[in-house]
Amino acid sequence: MALEHALLVSLTERASSGYDLAQRFDKSIGFFWNATHQQIYRVLKRMEEQGWVTAEAVAQEGRPDKKVYTVSDAGRDELVRWIEEPIEIAPMRNELGVKLRAASLADVPKLAAEVRRHRDQHAHRLDLYRTFEKKDFSNPEQYTGWKLHQYLVLRGGIRVEEGFVDWCDEVLDALQRDSARSRASEPKGTQG
């Protein structure tokens, strides 16, 4: 996915200035696609040059005018083309998983601490997603169109985070069992 497509999706939901778009991006699509504010501004300029968005100058009191971007017909056509285009299944990249493959070469308690750190971060994100779900999506069986689609993406994020937290718990339990077995199998005089 190009950043252009993520921005087009966001702009079809609501016309925005670059600043407002970057703020909204940080709180929604940004959970699934990272971009800096500078990248967003740079891409908006390119999208305007391509004719995918139009910008209207809006006066602000005490500040420079801001540009409010909307999706043009050409941008909507590009978005539809992209949505209908098949995409490759992305390979899963998980550096923590690679480290676990070689855990016997390292200090396992240090690795377990790193797994706990990852678990806590994913649990925090899961809590955040569940808060969004309670606040913004209290009646999912009633949703259609944009609201349904936003809800389904949020549910995907919830499922991914639940799975990662569960996996980290499984890893931590297994590392603890393995450590206990290793201590039990040491000769009596070497156990500390």
Side-chain angles (χ1 to χ4, degrees):
M1 173 173 67
L3 178 55
E4 285 87 340
H5 298 112
L7 295 176
L8 283 170
V9 168
S10 190
L11 287 170
T12 58
E13 294 172 356
R14 182 169 58 224
S16 300
S17 68
Y19 176 81
D20 293 337
L21 184 59
Q23 295 298 309
R24 282 186 25 240
F25 199 86
D26 285 345
K27 296 175 185 169
S28 60
I29 291 176
F31 288 110
F32 302 96
W33 191 263
N34 273 341
T36 66
H37 290 210
Q38 292 80 12
Q39 288 173 309
I40 289 171
Y41 285 108
R42 197 168 42 247
V43 169
L44 281 170
K45 183 177 191 237
R46 187 168 57 234
M47 290 168 61
E48 187 176 12
E49 291 168 357
Q50 292 172 309
W52 290 358
V53 296
T54 57
E56 178 185 337
V58 174
Q60 300 185 101
E61 193 171 316
R63 293 186 289 178
D65 292 354
K66 68 178 178 179
K67 284 183 167 183
V68 174
Y69 294 90
T70 57
V71 177
S72 68
D73 290 341
R76 194 169 298 279
D77 290 345
E78 170 56 22
L79 190 53
V80 168
R81 182 205 63 75
W82 173 76
I83 291 167
E84 294 175 351
E85 177 182 81
I87 57 174
E88 295 296 318
I89 304 296
M92 184 173 111
R93 293 180 56 158
N94 182 339
E95 189 173 351
L96 188 59
V98 176
K99 286 183 176 196
L100 283 168
R101 291 283 301 251
S104 61
L105 300 174
D107 183 344
V108 175
K110 285 182 182 176
L111 182 58
E114 180 66 359
V115 172
R116 264 187 232 87
R117 187 178 73 83
H118 281 257
R119 186 220 179 273
D120 292 346
Q121 289 292 319
H122 285 276
H124 173 74
R125 191 177 302 160
L126 176 58
D127 289 343
L128 183 63
Y129 289 174
R130 286 180 173 156
T131 299
F132 293 159
E133 184 178 36
K134 281 182 183 172
K135 178 179 169 252
D136 300 326
F137 299 98
S138 60
N139 202 3
E141 50 285 333
Q142 302 288 320
Y143 301 146
T144 62
W146 285 106
K147 187 83 171 177
L148 173 64
H149 306 150
Q150 290 172 340
Y151 172 74
L152 293 172
V153 171
L154 178 60
R155 285 298 305 156
I158 288 170
R159 299 290 298 269
V160 166
E161 296 304 333
E162 286 172 339
F164 203 90
V165 168
D166 288 348
W167 176 68
C168 286
D169 288 341
E170 181 180 344
V171 167
L172 291 168
D173 288 346
L175 291 176
Q176 186 175 13
R177 280 193 315 274
D178 186 50
S179 177
R181 281 188 208 120
S182 294
R183 283 193 307 273
S185 67
E186 290 177 3
K188 293 286 184 203
T190 63
Q191 291 181 0

